[in-house]
Amino acid sequence: SLANIGVTGLAVMGSNLARNLARHGHTVAVHNRSVARTRALVEQHGSEGVFVPSESTAEFVASLERPRRIIVMVKAGDPTDAVIDELVPLLEEGDIVVDGGNAHFADTRRRESWLREHGLHFVGTGISGGEVGALEGPSIMPGGSRESYAALGPILESIAAKVDGEACCAWMGPDGAGHFVKMVHNGIEYADMQFIAEAYDLLSAAGLSAAEAADVFREWNTGELDSFLIEITAEVLDQVDTATARPLVDVIVDAAEQKGTGRWTVQTALELGVPVSTIAESVFARSGSGDTAVRDAARGVLVGPNRTVSAGDRQGLVDDVRDALWSSKVVAYAQGLEQIRKASEEYGWDVDIATVARIWRGGCIIRARLLAQISDEYAAERLATLLVAPSIAEGLAGRQGAWRRVVAQGVTSGVPVPGFSSALAYYDTVRAERLPAALVQGLRDNFGAHTYGRTDRAGAFHTLWSGDRTEVSTS
Ligand code: NDP
């Protein structure tokens, strides 16, 4: 019989998604460029459900019921285009091509428009949760036409993570919306991890061993910080290296790598004019950690305090760091969600932010208890920023003292806290009565006659700086 859905690209993500689909009772057509992967999948996991393997693309396409639903799960970039080019001539009007790879949303917009010209649906879909998520229930962020979601949504929802009985999968909006949301998800993930790393660094500077820090994170995971990343932080900190008997974290090279979605988030934010400072700091922190030339040159030359965080009141410090972590995390979500809102406006996607937060509650890497609260707040009212949502503003009010002590502690002890401090700077910026941006405008007018607005009158004004310094109206 014909398959309900197909997966092409059977590396770790694709084969786990195919298995997840089969385990949920779907008949799954499977295909991979090199047939060895297809054979291995069917040999090792064929008993988990009904798979229809194909060795050629034509055979694969022919094995699917119409409208065809094909998930492409190959290396992002040129390989995705290569697979699409091969599929398109074999498909018929109304068929749906799903790209589950980590594509840039601009590529997704281009591909969607091209397939639309051919009468086909192209569904750029964010999938988060890593390989375990793909198998056991990821968070799924599909874009594309609303019509395609009617045919595809129920299948994707059946394999997605569930929280309180709700699937962590929902239509995000047209063309690139799904991949955009996934990109920002990853940007927030960078910030979350940077905050966790700074928290660990401060605890460590206060004399906590890796195992003691692991206990702290485990304890935090039972409260408001409850999240997947905090949970695995305890796991990583607890790990002892068998070769050296030291904590594994002390043996790992301290240069963080990246695959590019964090960078895309920041590049896109620059273009949209949305300050995602915490995400930018996190991307820069990774790049900087790997800049051995600069670090080698500066180590031992540049003078400063020697990472001595007084652990006099250890529980007090631990509690303060927890509050700084929660507050900074809230800022990263506020910034990322604001970026999605801006892009949605720019591209006419009409993304529902409450829904984004709702499908991030489970399955994905940034899943966290906080996301339920964020989703509820966005559902309750249209927020100019998450930070002013009643329960969030109240949470920040109660924690900002601790947050400031933590940033001050980092500054005075020489422990770098770029994430915590940029989050706090954002908080103080948005709540400021007046900003020194007024002076920046004055300077711009002075050297470049760029004009400025006045607080007391409408219009654009210029001071004749090199003349008699009187003001002229330029509007
Ligand atoms: P890889 O990104 O390592 O890609 C390998 C797959 O791509 C193989 O099936 C390979 O086929 C296929 N491929 C590569 N080039 C071509 C080509 N020119 N034509 C046809 N097929 C090609 O696999 P992953 O499973 O790690 O990831 C798949 C996608 O999912 C990627 O876009 C990734 O960014 C995304 N993703 C990955 C996550 C993860 O945790 N790994 C999480 C979320 C998304 P062959 O076997 O013939 O070489």
Side-chain angles (χ1 to χ4, degrees):
S1 69
L2 293 175
N4 315 121
I5 188 157
V7 179
T8 181
L10 301 174
V12 51
M13 288 297 288
S15 50
N16 280 358
L17 269 184
R19 291 170 63 197
N20 188 350
L21 285 160
R23 288 174 177 191
H24 282 87
H26 305 291
T27 300
V28 190
V30 287
H31 171 263
N32 190 71
R33 176 180 60 177
S34 35
V35 298
R37 283 196 205 271
T38 315
R39 288 184 188 146
L41 171 63
V42 175
E43 260 163 43
Q44 289 160 27
H45 305 288
S47 62
E48 293 175 14
V50 185
F51 295 99
V52 182
S54 291
E55 305 213 335
S56 74
T57 305
E59 199 189 327
F60 171 65
V61 167
S63 72
L64 284 153
E65 69 178 22
R66 297 214 42 220
R68 297 184 182 86
R69 289 170 281 232
I70 297 177
I71 302 180
V72 178
M73 215 55 211
V74 301
K75 199 178 265 308
D78 293 342
T80 305
D81 284 316
V83 171
I84 292 171
D85 286 349
E86 213 180 319
L87 282 171
V88 165
L90 301 167
L91 298 178
E92 292 166 274
E93 190 161 344
D95 286 351
I96 303 166
V97 177
V98 181
D99 175 16
N102 267 331
H104 191 286
F105 80 100
D107 286 334
T108 302
R109 284 168 60 77
R110 166 177 63 78
R111 290 168 183 147
E112 195 275 338
S113 131
W114 190 67
L115 263 72
R116 190 153 22 92
E117 281 170 29
H118 288 76
L120 303 170
H121 297 282
F122 185 75
V123 180
T125 302
I127 300 182
S128 176
E131 48 183 289
V132 174
L135 183 61
E136 292 175 357
S139 173
I140 309 180
M141 300 150 241
S145 66
R146 202 189 271 276
E147 191 189 341
S148 65
Y149 194 77
L152 186 70
I155 299 185
L156 295 182
E157 288 175 20
S158 74
I159 63 160
K162 306 286 182 309
V163 176
D164 301 336
E166 291 175 329
C168 292
C169 170
W171 182 62
M172 295 286 95
D175 59 82
H179 274 138
F180 193 94
V181 168
K182 171 62 171 24
M183 175 188 77
V184 173
H185 163 285
N186 286 26
I188 293 173
E189 176 186 312
Y190 276 56
D192 256 349
M193 290 167 69
Q194 177 63 26
F195 300 144
I196 287 172
E198 291 175 18
Y200 163 67
D201 207 17
L202 285 161
L203 297 179
S204 158
L208 275 76
S209 68
E212 287 169 333
D215 287 338
V216 168
F217 279 96
R218 231 184 323 271
E219 162 67 24
W220 287 350
N221 201 40
T222 63
E224 63 197 10
L225 285 173
D226 175 1
S227 63
F228 171 67
L229 284 170
I230 296 282
E231 178 192 329
I232 63 169
T233 298
E235 206 174 300
V236 171
L237 290 176
D238 254 342
Q239 184 71 17
V240 174
D241 174 47
T242 41
T244 60
R246 292 166 59 200
L248 177 67
V249 70
D250 291 344
V251 180
I252 297 176
V253 174
D254 60 345
E257 296 180 4
Q258 49 187 316
K259 280 168 88 178
T261 42
R263 180 164 52 229
W264 288 349
T265 308
V266 178
Q267 284 169 336
T268 308
L270 288 171
E271 277 151 27
L272 290 167
V274 194
V276 293
S277 50
T278 58
I279 299 172
E281 287 294 351
S282 310
V283 174
F284 288 141
R286 289 201 195 184
S287 316
S289 71
D291 195 340
T292 35
V294 169
R295 291 183 60 194
D296 288 347
R299 193 182 294 115
V301 173
L302 300 184
V303 172
N306 200 19
R307 296 173 52 81
T308 37
V309 173
S310 153
D313 174 14
R314 182 151 142 175
Q315 194 53 48
L317 175 78
V318 166
D319 291 347
D320 277 359
V321 173
R322 179 200 60 210
D323 287 354
L325 191 49
W326 187 89
S327 307
S328 301
K329 191 179 164 78
V330 164
V331 170
Y333 281 95
Q335 293 181 340
L337 292 171
E338 178 58 14
Q339 181 174 358
I340 293 173
R341 203 190 54 74
K342 267 273 173 62
S344 173
E345 238 170 57
E346 172 85 16
Y347 298 106
W349 290 332
D350 205 16
V351 177
D352 182 58
I353 304 296
T355 302
V356 171
R358 183 171 63 76
I359 66 167
W360 285 350
R361 287 176 308 159
C364 64
I365 305 298
I366 65 170
R367 61 185 182 264
R369 182 187 288 192
L370 177 62
L371 278 158
Q373 185 182 347
I374 293 176
S375 180
D376 291 347
E377 289 287 14
Y378 274 102
E381 61 177 307
R382 210 188 141 79
L383 297 166
T385 167
L386 171 64
L387 302 188
V388 301
S391 71
I392 298 290
E394 192 190 314
L396 290 166
R399 290 172 182 83
Q400 55 91 29
W403 195 4
R404 291 177 201 287
R405 284 193 294 276
V406 166
V407 170
Q409 181 67 261
V411 170
T412 51
S413 59
V415 175
V417 284
F420 286 166
S421 57
S422 79
L424 180 57
Y426 181 82
Y427 175 79
D428 283 333
T429 296
V430 296
R431 72 184 190 87
E433 193 66 48
R434 292 264 305 156
L435 287 171
L439 176 58
V440 172
Q441 283 297 83
L443 295 171
R444 293 179 68 247
D445 188 60
N446 179 295
F447 69 71
H450 293 305
T451 77
Y452 49 84
R454 292 184 54 96
T455 56
D456 55 355
R457 262 180 288 153
F461 300 88
H462 169 55
T463 291
L464 301 168
W465 297 102
S466 42
D468 63 0
R469 305 216 169 172
T470 54
E471 184 178 77
V472 292
S473 168
T474 63
S475 46

